Amino acid sequence: MQDPSVCVDRGQYQDAVTPWEQEAWRGAAVGWVEDALAAHGLRAAGRWQVRLRPWSVLLRVPVDGREAVWFKANPPASAFEGALSARLTRWVPEHVLEPLAVDPGRGWTLLPDGGELFRHVLEREAVEPRTWEEVLRQYATMQRALVPHAREIEELGVPGARTAALPGLFDRLVAENTASRPDERRRLEGLRPLLVDWCAELAAVGVADSLDHSDLHDAQLFVREPGRFTFFDWGDAAVSHPFCSLLVPARRAVERYGHEVLPRLRDAYLEPWTGAGHTTSDLRRAVSLAWRLSALGRACSWGRLFPSAAGTPEGTGTGTGTGTGTEERVRWLRELFNEPPV
């Protein structure tokens, strides 16, 4: 298909510059999608919908005779997503989508439609907290199955944020942080001894590092069928303490049901981790520690934007919309000062 008819959505990032603005890149991406579809005996038809954000280019491509497919282009810092998605279909196929095509070198992935987003279900009907509990059980089951593959996941280019390495990650984030006020920087620097103790205590519980989605909210999973969920969108992922994943989905659930649901969500998430000599008390303490430390992974993930799309350094906020990354990193570093609610 030449020069496809498209509908472009930039959301709140009207000034964001992505590779889609480059004619040569755009033509190559369209051609790659067409070739990938042809390899499966498929053909694009209808109007393409383009969603541009500082962290990705996403295309919804209608296809003759079946559900639409989705093309995603990641920036270099998260170009691992396609390769990771493909490998996850070998290790945990019941929990993920199998890509139709992947180009790891360019950070391109073509995915089938995964069904209805959990967010759309929430918008359409009343959903009890027990559904969120089941989401977390299935996600934790997947994480536990991936523990033996942690090294292989890192070899795909997925960032390492292992529990033992978090103090060093903290040091780097603080050193690179030029946006905080001087008094706030001093508070962060003064927090380091406590952070080292938190990491040591968390490691001592004995739960091994695994894949941390890092941004698991209600628009990052599909409802495959009632009670069955598919997890996707791995661009923020890291190899870290698995419990760092709990903060984002738990906060989304609290927005709907209030803080009283937190103990239920925590315990549902912990069910797959019980046994192996771990006491309930130890696991709950580990959740509290990881809840606070997960701010480091979230701060890092906001650096994975398109830094070179306009030839402007990331974080300057000049024409690229990437100043958002700097602001969000600072916001997440501040989270280290807050007592976990669980």
Side-chain angles (χ1 to χ4, degrees):
M1 181 178 63
Q2 300 298 318
D3 189 26
S5 174
V6 299
C7 173
V8 177
D9 164 27
R10 295 180 179 272
Q12 63 180 312
Y13 303 98
Q14 295 298 310
D15 296 330
V17 178
T18 72
W20 182 258
E21 282 72 40
Q22 302 169 14
E23 184 176 355
W25 187 97
R26 190 168 61 248
V30 169
W32 184 81
V33 170
E34 292 178 324
D35 291 345
L37 287 173
H40 290 274
L42 302 173
R43 185 174 68 87
R47 195 177 197 195
W48 296 33
Q49 296 177 4
V50 183
R51 181 179 180 273
L52 303 179
R53 299 294 185 267
W55 52 85
S56 70
V57 174
L58 187 67
L59 277 64
R60 181 185 184 276
V61 183
V63 175
D64 271 343
R66 60 168 285 169
E67 298 291 335
V69 299
W70 298 83
F71 164 84
K72 183 175 182 180
N74 291 81
S78 61
F80 60 79
E81 183 175 0
L84 174 61
S85 298
R87 198 68 63 88
L88 290 176
T89 63
R90 289 168 44 189
W91 295 328
V92 286
E94 67 275 24
H95 297 294
V96 296
L97 288 175
E98 181 176 4
L100 296 169
V102 171
D103 185 331
R106 291 188 284 192
W108 293 355
T109 310
L110 191 67
L111 288 164
D113 188 83
E116 188 170 23
L117 283 176
F118 186 41
R119 175 170 294 178
H120 294 165
V121 175
L122 294 172
E123 292 169 348
R124 189 183 69 245
E125 61 190 56
V127 174
E128 295 295 322
R130 63 175 176 270
T131 302
W132 292 75
E133 294 171 31
E134 187 56 33
V135 167
L136 291 171
R137 283 191 197 94
Q138 291 180 29
Y139 175 71
T141 298
M142 178 183 67
Q143 284 186 297
R144 188 160 188 179
L146 291 172
V147 166
H149 303 290
R151 179 59 61 191
E152 295 170 82
I153 292 172
E154 286 179 309
E155 290 171 354
L156 295 173
V158 177
R162 290 179 176 267
T163 308
L166 290 179
L169 183 60
F170 169 80
D171 291 341
R172 179 170 68 81
L173 286 166
V174 172
E176 294 174 352
N177 172 24
T178 59
S180 291
R181 302 184 307 273
D183 62 318
E184 193 169 58
R185 286 181 58 85
R186 286 192 294 271
R187 283 188 70 198
L188 283 168
E189 292 164 357
L191 190 65
R192 191 183 194 280
L194 270 177
L195 184 135
V196 170
D197 290 343
W198 296 334
C199 293
E201 186 181 355
L202 181 59
V205 174
V207 174
D209 294 321
S210 183
L211 183 64
D212 170 19
H213 185 287
S214 190
D215 194 26
L216 185 64
H217 55 71
D218 48 12
Q220 309 282 41
L221 62 146
F222 295 111
V223 181
R224 178 177 296 183
E225 59 187 57
R228 291 283 306 282
F229 303 94
T230 299
F231 306 97
F232 73 103
D233 201 346
W234 298 97
D236 289 323
V239 173
S240 189
H241 196 285
F243 294 6
C244 288
S245 290
L246 184 59
L247 178 145
V248 172
R251 281 187 169 176
R252 290 300 178 98
V254 164
E255 290 172 2
R256 286 184 164 268
Y257 309 108
H259 282 84
E260 60 271 17
V261 302
L262 273 178
R264 292 174 54 183
L265 298 177
R266 175 199 61 199
D267 292 347
Y269 174 77
L270 289 176
E271 283 182 21
W273 300 101
T274 56
H278 304 309
T279 68
T280 299
S281 177
D282 284 344
L283 290 173
R284 288 177 175 175
R285 175 58 178 161
V287 164
S288 182
L289 292 163
W291 183 288
R292 192 192 300 250
L293 292 167
S294 64
L296 297 174
R298 295 297 296 130
C300 282
S301 70
W302 274 99
R304 302 177 201 171
L305 307 178
F306 283 113
S308 60
T312 307
E314 195 283 321
T316 64
T318 307
T320 65
T322 56
T324 301
T326 298
E327 295 160 7
E328 288 294 326
R329 287 199 296 276
V330 170
R331 182 176 73 82
W332 279 105
L333 284 173
R334 292 190 188 115
E335 291 275 343
L336 291 167
F337 300 127
N338 299 331
E339 287 294 328
V342 289

